[in-house]
Amino acid sequence: MRVLHVAAEVFPLAKTGGLADVVAALPVAQAQQGADVRLLLPGLPSVMDGVQHARPVIDIGSCFGALRVRLLLARMPGSALPVYVLDAPYLYRRSGSPYGNHAGEEWPDNLQRFALLGWVAAHLAADDADLRWHAEVVHAHDWHAALACAHVADHPASEVRSVFTIHNMAFQGLFPLHDWPLLGLASRHMSPAGLEFHGQLSFMKAGLQYAHRVTTVSPTYAREIATPEFGFGLDGAVRSRGADVTGILNGIDAEIWNPATDAAIAERYDLARPQGKHACRRALQAELGLAADERSLLLAVISRLSAQKGLDLLLAALPQLVAAGVQLVVQGGGDASLEAAFRMAQEAHPGRVHVHIGYDEARAHRTIAGADAIAIPSRFEPCGLTQMYGLRYGTLPIARRVGGLADTVRDAATTLGNGFVFDEATPMALAAAVLRAARLRAQDPAAWQTLQQRGMAADQAWAGAARQYLQLYRDAAGRPGTSLTGGGAGGAGGAR
Ligand code: ADP
Ligand code: GLC
């Protein structure tokens, strides 16, 4: 099965959140199961610089406002996965994030930037771009890639199947309706049954309406987005797709996030040698200037600072938590008012609260390894990866029962507990969960260890989800299961 994953970001070349981690790991896991998998990415500066062995495939010429567009084929660093890169300097060669400038303003031509991405994806599937390879399945991630699904559906001779994965319903790619002629799509798609969304043009709807299958990144979130509370106005469109919308829980890259081999942390550890975690804890306290306190609960947050993540609840609960002896380490960036509020919290609680505003992978590893617990009090959370990293590192998640958090974290009070769960999005409910964790750690170290061991022993690798996606592609294509589902690297030839 030839699969093309289309996305705006991929770790380690361009990353603003978990999407990049998924796009780096899922295709590799599918390739290990025998599928013929490639990526398509916009040629952001860090992508152009980071891919290896790039060679031109086709000169696309001028389109979407750019004069010079080329398609290159290269290899991902590390995994060597084949990756198509759209070299369009006018659209992509800018310093900033994949979506906007350093000040957080979106690029004014995002419509053209991501319309090009979806359009080329569809051509790679239509055997029109690379004469040596074409996709049978186009797997588009988030709104940035969603137009691929509309173009695939539009091609009269197409047997290609498209799958659209929603990583976050809050970001939909909305543009003025009058810009639709720039998309290169037939006007019949500009209706509420197509891309129109309350007088605007919605890229997300291109995926939701036209993909053969729609997935999201956890079973609970798949149910949630069919409700007004979580659907951001598209819950009706989700419901109308019925059983075509399913949830497949993300995995984690078990090589990158592995305390037994992690080069970034003070001392490596695993289930058999758990002592290393104490050394990581001491090293973290020393590095950040926190009191070398053995008894306090050392709580971490590694997160985008946005309303989604519910960190205002943590700010409100902080005085009570610090008074109870909790230490807090926050690493994140985003919303300016949250950044400022966390900086003030650090000043108010010297030696107890440490805040690092900024993005730093190695530091995230050190923090997750050194902390006792990791807080994820999200208002909504499609999947969430940091709670899974926490589980792997014996760092107990304290999470709100929502989305993927509900599917991965089980409360300590239940038989297979691996963390702490709360329901209400209130500072009080969060504080109660954190204080429960602090008490358990102080009063019952054996019970704490059992929770840690459960998390560390769990299989969170991508293999399972990769297999589920491959089966979904086959279902979409109306093909029976083959040896691919049997798993195991290389046992997949029959899937072609
Ligand atoms: P989201 O995609 O909504 O931001 P996830 O939990 O799925 O949430 O993924 C977040 C990813 O970004 C994780 O890999 C996390 O470690 C990483 N991350 C977030 N903020 C930072 C930061 N300030 N420094 C380093 N890594 C971060
Ligand atoms: C989104 C979601 C997050 C999810 C990630 C990867 O950014 O906010 O919950 O883990 O995508 O699927």
Side-chain angles (χ1 to χ4, degrees):
M1 175 145 339
R2 290 185 302 276
V3 183
L4 182 70
H5 285 271
V6 191
E9 49 181 284
V10 66
F11 178 84
L13 304 182
K15 169 166 167 175
T16 71
L19 170 64
D21 293 356
V22 173
V23 175
L26 168 63
V28 172
Q30 291 179 327
Q32 282 165 355
Q33 291 173 19
D36 180 358
V37 190
R38 298 188 176 190
L39 297 178
L40 171 65
L41 301 172
L44 308 166
S46 55
V47 172
M48 296 296 292
D49 291 346
V51 295
Q52 296 169 342
H53 315 297
R55 60 169 179 81
V57 173
I58 184 175
D59 228 323
I60 297 173
S62 85
C63 55
F64 295 97
L67 196 59
R68 209 153 45 83
V69 179
R70 289 188 313 160
L71 184 67
L72 312 177
L73 179 58
R75 297 270 169 181
M76 281 295 289
S79 69
L81 198 83
V83 52
Y84 291 102
V85 179
L86 267 168
D87 180 22
Y90 185 77
L91 293 173
Y92 301 135
R93 211 171 291 168
R94 312 171 178 174
S95 100
S97 91
Y99 318 112
N101 63 19
H102 290 294
E105 293 153 348
E106 291 185 0
W107 299 120
D109 53 354
N110 271 348
L111 178 138
Q112 290 94 325
R113 298 174 74 241
F114 294 112
L116 171 63
L117 185 68
W119 181 72
V120 171
H123 282 270
L124 268 166
D127 207 3
D128 194 30
D130 183 348
L131 299 180
R132 297 180 179 182
W133 192 90
H134 64 275
E136 295 167 285
V137 175
V138 173
H139 189 153
H141 296 269
D142 268 350
W143 71 264
H144 329 111
L147 275 198
C149 306
H151 286 293
V152 165
D154 233 9
H155 194 271
S158 181
E159 286 185 5
V160 175
R161 289 292 176 261
S162 66
V163 172
F164 179 55
T165 295
I166 299 169
H167 293 262
N168 197 331
M169 199 59 142
F171 303 107
Q172 300 183 351
L174 297 176
F175 300 96
L177 194 59
H178 58 73
D179 277 346
W180 73 261
L182 299 174
L183 291 181
L185 265 180
S187 60
R188 65 175 175 280
H189 300 300
M190 296 309 133
S191 74
L195 270 61
E196 196 208 317
F197 179 68
H198 300 294
Q200 286 181 290
L201 203 164
S202 161
F203 273 43
M204 181 71 103
K205 275 192 81 181
L208 255 177
Q209 307 281 48
Y210 296 110
H212 293 92
R213 291 285 192 282
V214 177
T215 72
T216 183
V217 286
S218 69
T220 295
Y221 195 61
R223 290 189 295 275
E224 288 172 345
I225 55 173
T227 68
E229 191 186 348
F230 295 97
F232 285 92
L234 285 174
D235 44 294
V238 171
R239 285 195 301 278
S240 73
R241 291 300 308 261
D244 287 348
V245 182
T246 53
I248 297 179
L249 191 68
N250 285 336
I252 63 171
D253 190 318
E255 279 175 30
I256 293 176
W257 292 96
N258 182 359
T261 55
D262 195 330
I265 66 180
E267 195 172 312
R268 288 178 263 295
Y269 61 95
D270 56 22
L271 268 175
R273 302 169 295 158
Q275 318 76 269
K277 185 157 177 70
H278 301 295
C280 291
R281 187 180 192 277
R282 281 192 297 273
L284 184 67
Q285 284 174 324
E287 176 187 347
L288 304 182
L290 295 173
D293 185 345
E294 279 292 320
R295 286 185 55 80
S296 62
L297 180 84
L298 178 41
L299 182 64
V301 169
I302 307 283
S303 182
R304 287 187 291 117
L305 301 181
S306 78
Q308 170 187 346
K309 301 293 179 179
L311 293 167
D312 50 310
L313 307 176
L314 183 60
L315 280 164
L318 200 55
Q320 184 189 356
L321 297 179
V322 171
V326 172
Q327 292 187 337
L328 177 68
V329 181
V330 176
Q331 180 174 319
D335 187 295
S337 59
L338 282 169
E339 288 183 359
F342 274 111
R343 282 202 181 98
M344 281 166 65
Q346 166 168 266
E347 277 168 34
H349 306 288
R352 310 301 302 178
V353 174
H354 184 276
V355 175
H356 175 76
I357 300 298
Y359 195 90
D360 186 332
E361 280 294 327
R363 200 177 172 126
H365 283 245
R366 294 200 297 277
T367 302
I368 291 181
D372 300 313
I374 181 160
I376 316 103
S378 306
R379 292 207 157 72
F380 65 94
E381 196 60 75
C383 180
L385 297 176
T386 57
Q387 82 280 13
M388 297 204 260
Y389 300 152
L391 289 170
R392 189 95 205 277
Y393 280 68
T395 306
L396 301 189
I398 302 177
R400 189 159 170 253
R401 197 191 315 273
V402 70
L405 300 171
D407 293 336
T408 49
V409 186
R410 293 180 302 272
D411 193 80
T414 62
T415 24
L416 289 175
N418 60 8
F420 300 84
V421 179
F422 64 99
D423 288 285
E424 297 300 314
T426 61
M428 259 170 24
L430 167 62
V434 175
L435 295 177
R436 248 186 331 121
R439 266 197 307 276
L440 189 78
R441 180 175 177 277
Q443 295 170 4
D444 195 346
W448 185 268
Q449 248 177 35
T450 305
L451 299 178
Q452 287 182 305
Q453 286 163 355
R454 266 193 210 122
M456 292 175 77
D459 176 11
Q460 304 184 92
W462 268 104
R467 215 168 279 134
Q468 287 182 61
Y469 278 112
L470 291 174
Q471 185 57 46
L472 182 100
Y473 304 157
R474 277 192 298 268
D475 291 347
R479 292 192 216 172
T482 68
S483 57
L484 261 179
T485 25
R496 298 268 164 110

